[in-house]
């Protein structure tokens, strides 16, 4: 079995197990057997760290159902191979070559050395951020809901925020906390760091440590770090500005909020499309312009190696740099004075075209099966599913069974990745020894 098939089948196995657990009577608040479609949809959404839901998790599921959702989101956020590798480390087994290759491909690492140390660092980083998030959310939830339920709310939302899952136990998601700086900045910080990538976080930690020891000048930040952080900051600032500007006169979104609260709302809506799925406003009341901006942000997504989806920030930067080089008449694609390999450019093109094809095909199918919805609503739902975001204009629960299955498939493709899935179906690519002559072709 190829490495790509191992990863894809691993996610399917976890989704299947999650579906079985969520179907059990003890997983629902009613105590009855769960609807298989609801269980499958919720399990896929949790494992694919999406957050789309056809029911209200806070009332439909029992504590155990909610616990399974959080656990599946944790496994999905870490990734199948990371979780499996961590369990192997716990029982003291050593990796074989196939497992090392699988870890390398799952974490998108250039080499296989130090895999066990990377896994330990990922687990430690996850626990540090999630536990910190829990403690910060306690003052917001405990006074209103009591210690027991308030603690569970803090745990559930911290895990979902870090893993960019977006499930909430509140009926209106986080709309009730749209003016709470503590909740807004805690959740958005977890989302940003969860989606920016473990490698970037570890590199940031090393840089800060060297800075304190006054030896940071000897430490060179990687291209991954520079691209991921600069692109993330740019998108966050741009998104906040655009939401503030476009929705300024939309009283259904901002209402009578003061300027500070409007900024909190705009900031949150700029962060959450980076594949998180939480919301502090009703997206069904947004203007088409704001929905379109959200679709673009969702499609771009987070950074490689993180818990988010989308085509990734690095893919966007490679293609924009490629366009810039063409316009300037240059033959090399440069980023921060570094030449980008042709193979990476081809991979970026493949990711974008494959992603576009998946989104367009799924949107077309749902437009046929559920013509009662507006096109912008369907496109929004599909991009949200593919980019593993979890935002919705409110149509998820009203989708037909066929449309729900299409969304389930889209979430799975978005989580494992278009190229990895194609590799699993067609087999790992092999380099060709045949070279063909070049010929010019009119383009553009």
């Amino acid at each position: 079995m190829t490495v790509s098939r191992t990863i894809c089948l691993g996610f399917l196995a976890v989704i299947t197990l999650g579906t079985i657990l969520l179907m059990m009577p003890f997983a629902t608040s009613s105590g009855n057997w769960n609807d298989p479609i609801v269980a499958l949809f919720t399990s896929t959404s949790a494992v694919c760290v999406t957050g789309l839901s056809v029911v209200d998790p806070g009332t439909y599921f029992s504590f155990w159902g909610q616990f399974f959702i959080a656990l599946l989101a944790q496994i999905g956020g870490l990734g199948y191979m990371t979780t499996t590798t961590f369990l192997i480390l716990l029982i003291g087994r050593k990796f074989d070559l196939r497992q090392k290759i699988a870890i390398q491909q799952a974490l998108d690492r250039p080499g296989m050395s130090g895999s066990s140390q990377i896994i330990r660092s990922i687990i430690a980083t996850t626990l540090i951020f999630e536990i910190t998030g829990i403690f910060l959310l306690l003052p917001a939830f405990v006074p209103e809901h009591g210690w027991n339920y308030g603690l569970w709310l803090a745990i559930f939302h911290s895990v979902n925020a870090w893993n960019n899952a977006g499930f909430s136990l509140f009926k209106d998601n986080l709309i009730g906390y749209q003016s709470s700086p503590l909740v807004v900045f805690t959740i958005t910080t977890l989302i940003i760091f969860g989606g920016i990538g473990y490698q970037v976080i570890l590199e940031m930690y090393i840089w800060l440590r060297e800075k304190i020891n006054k030896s940071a000048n000897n430490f060179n930040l990687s291209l991954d770090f520079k691209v991921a952080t600069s692109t993330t900051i740019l998108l966050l600032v741009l998104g906040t500005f655009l939401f503030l500007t476009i929705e300024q006169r939309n009283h259904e979104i901002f209402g009578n909020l003061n300027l500070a609260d409007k900024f909190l709302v705009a900031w949150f809506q700029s962060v959450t499309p980076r594949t998180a799925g939480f919301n502090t406003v009703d997206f069904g009341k947004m203007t088409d312009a704001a929905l379109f901006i959200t679709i673009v942000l969702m499609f771009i997504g987070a950074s490689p190696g993180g818990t988010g989806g989308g085509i990734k920030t690095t893919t966007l930067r490679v293609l924009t740099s490629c366009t810039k080089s063409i316009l300037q008449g240059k033959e090399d694609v440069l980023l921060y004075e570094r030449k980008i390999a042709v193979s990476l450019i081809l991979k970026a093109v493949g990711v974008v075209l494959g992603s576009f094809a998946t989104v367009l095909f799924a949107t077309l199918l749902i437009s046929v099966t559920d013509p009662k919805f507006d096109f912008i609503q369907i496109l929004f739902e599909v991009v949200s599913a593919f980019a593993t975001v979890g935002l919705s204009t409110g149509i998820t629960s009203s989708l037909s069974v066929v449309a729900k299955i299409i969304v389930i498939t889209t979430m799975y493709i978005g989580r494992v990745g278009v190229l990895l899935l194609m590799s699993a179906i067609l087999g790992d690519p092999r380099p060709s020894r045949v070279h063909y002559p070049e010929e010019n072709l009119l383009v553009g």
Side-chain angles (χ1 to χ4, degrees):
M1 185 183 294
T2 63
V3 172
S4 53
R5 284 176 187 167
T6 301
I7 297 173
C8 291
L9 291 176
F11 272 104
L12 283 178
V14 177
I15 290 171
T16 303
L17 178 60
T19 303
I20 294 171
L21 290 173
L22 291 175
M23 281 181 61
M24 297 296 171
F26 57 79
T28 62
S29 56
S30 64
N32 299 322
W33 286 89
N34 196 359
D35 181 346
I37 292 295
V38 173
L40 175 61
F41 194 102
T42 307
S43 177
T44 306
S45 185
V47 174
C48 297
V49 291
T50 305
L52 284 174
S53 182
V54 293
V55 295
D56 175 21
T59 56
Y60 186 88
F61 291 102
S62 65
F63 166 77
W64 285 111
Q66 295 168 9
F67 174 78
F68 293 144
I69 291 173
L71 181 62
L72 291 171
Q74 187 73 277
I75 294 172
L78 289 171
Y80 164 73
M81 284 310 306
T82 303
T83 306
T84 304
T85 305
F86 179 63
L87 294 176
I88 291 173
L89 289 172
L90 282 181
I91 61 177
R93 283 180 54 192
K94 293 184 177 181
F95 305 134
D96 57 26
L97 181 60
R98 182 175 293 275
Q99 287 169 331
K100 288 182 178 181
I101 295 173
I103 295 167
Q104 173 200 359
Q105 192 162 351
L107 298 179
D108 200 18
R109 286 173 52 79
M112 292 183 290
S113 61
S115 296
S116 60
Q117 289 83 356
I118 287 293
I119 297 297
R120 290 188 180 96
S121 298
I122 289 174
I123 299 297
T125 303
T126 298
L127 291 176
I128 289 171
F129 273 91
E130 287 182 351
I131 292 172
T132 302
I134 291 168
F135 278 108
L136 290 174
L137 290 173
L138 284 175
F141 296 149
V142 169
E144 187 177 348
H145 302 280
W147 260 106
N148 289 339
Y149 192 54
L151 176 61
W152 174 235
L153 286 172
I155 293 172
F156 188 89
H157 287 84
S158 181
V159 169
N160 274 271
W162 169 257
N163 290 293
N164 280 216
F167 282 100
S168 176
L169 298 182
F170 299 112
K171 202 172 190 67
D172 61 352
N173 208 280
L174 294 177
I175 293 177
Y177 294 91
Q178 64 179 193
S179 299
S180 170
L182 178 62
V183 173
V184 167
F185 287 116
T186 299
I187 295 294
T188 53
T189 300
L190 288 171
I191 291 169
I192 292 168
F193 279 96
I196 205 168
Y198 297 104
Q199 180 179 332
V200 172
I201 296 173
L202 294 176
E203 198 168 336
M204 190 181 299
Y205 165 74
I206 295 172
W207 181 81
L208 288 173
R209 187 183 63 186
E210 297 296 319
K211 192 79 172 176
I212 293 172
N213 295 332
K214 297 181 179 180
S215 56
N217 292 333
N218 299 325
F219 180 74
N220 293 320
L221 294 169
S222 69
L223 185 60
D224 276 318
F225 180 93
K226 294 176 181 177
V227 171
T229 53
S230 62
T231 309
T232 297
I233 292 170
L234 176 63
L235 291 173
L236 291 175
V237 173
L238 183 62
T240 303
F241 172 76
L242 289 174
F243 278 117
L244 267 176
T245 305
I246 292 173
E247 297 293 279
Q248 180 68 31
R249 297 182 181 179
N250 188 350
H251 294 290
E252 290 188 287
I253 295 297
F254 285 132
N256 296 319
L257 296 177
N258 58 41
L259 184 59
D261 288 344
K262 286 181 179 179
F263 170 77
L264 287 178
V265 168
W267 165 253
F268 197 95
Q269 267 50 245
S270 177
V271 174
T272 197
R274 312 307 306 289
T275 82
F278 289 109
N279 60 284
T280 57
V281 296
D282 184 355
F283 274 81
K285 296 177 180 178
M286 274 192 170
T287 61
D288 286 349
L291 289 177
F292 182 75
I293 291 170
T294 306
I295 288 172
V296 173
L297 291 175
M298 289 193 298
F299 190 75
I300 295 170
S303 300
T307 57
I311 63 170
K312 302 296 191 291
T313 53
T314 48
T315 303
L316 174 68
R317 286 295 295 275
V318 167
L319 292 181
T320 53
S321 298
C322 185
T323 304
K324 180 182 176 183
S325 295
I326 292 171
L327 293 176
Q328 293 177 339
K330 297 179 180 178
E331 294 185 357
D332 295 330
V333 178
L334 302 177
L335 261 174
Y336 293 100
E337 299 180 346
R338 293 291 184 273
K339 181 180 176 180
I340 305 301
V342 175
S343 58
L344 286 178
I345 298 172
L346 294 176
K347 183 178 179 180
V349 172
V351 167
V352 172
L353 288 180
S355 301
F356 263 125
T358 303
V359 168
L360 292 177
F361 187 59
T363 303
L364 174 63
L365 290 179
I366 297 179
S367 297
V368 173
T369 61
D370 293 52
K372 58 185 176 181
F373 299 118
D374 293 336
F375 177 78
I376 189 72
Q377 290 179 307
I378 297 173
L379 179 62
F380 190 96
E381 196 82 7
V382 169
V383 174
S384 179
F386 176 78
T388 69
V389 180
L391 293 175
S392 176
T393 56
I395 69 172
T396 311
S397 59
S398 303
L399 293 171
S400 64
V401 174
V402 175
K404 288 174 184 175
I405 293 174
I406 294 170
V407 171
I408 289 170
T409 306
T410 305
M411 287 191 288
Y412 175 73
I413 295 173
R415 182 64 184 95
V416 299
V418 174
L419 297 186
L420 188 68
L421 182 62
M422 292 305 297
S423 178
I425 296 172
L426 302 176
D428 290 333
R430 296 179 181 178
S432 175
R433 295 182 179 179
V434 180
H435 297 279
Y436 296 94
E438 287 186 2
E439 186 170 343
N440 288 328
L441 179 68
L442 295 176
V443 176

